[in-house]
Amino acid sequence: MHSMIGRKFEANMTVSDALALHPSARWVFAAYHIEGCAGCESAIGETLGEVASGYQLPLENLLRDLNSLIEVTGNR
């Protein structure tokens, strides 16, 4: 298992890196109605910032929700 200590979701992180950082990131994407991220070919090169822009989502909210996964996991 990869250590998530000191790691967080950032706007310049690719979708595939985000999914690798925390497996539950796909559920955050689904909550924003962007379920296709896990299987999309663009996930390799598209950043979280680009996804937020493309779907007209507030980037700060998406990052907050993704980073809450790390906070919850870190408190176990």
Side-chain angles (χ1 to χ4, degrees):
M1 178 178 222
H2 297 287
S3 173
M4 290 185 285
I5 296 172
R7 302 227 29 223
K8 67 177 191 171
F9 295 94
E10 298 177 356
N12 63 349
M13 174 181 279
T14 64
V15 172
S16 59
D17 287 343
L19 293 167
L21 178 59
H22 200 292
S24 293
R26 66 188 176 120
W27 298 113
V28 174
F29 294 135
Y32 281 93
H33 305 286
I34 47 177
E35 301 88 359
C37 279
C40 179
E41 291 181 19
S42 295
I44 295 170
E46 193 167 29
T47 67
L48 297 177
E50 291 168 337
V51 168
S53 177
Y55 283 91
Q56 298 180 345
L57 302 171
L59 176 61
E60 58 278 355
N61 292 357
L62 177 62
L63 293 175
R64 180 198 62 223
D65 293 343
L66 287 166
N67 281 311
S68 72
L69 296 171
I70 295 172
E71 293 168 13
V72 169
T73 304
N75 289 335
R76 283 188 182 177

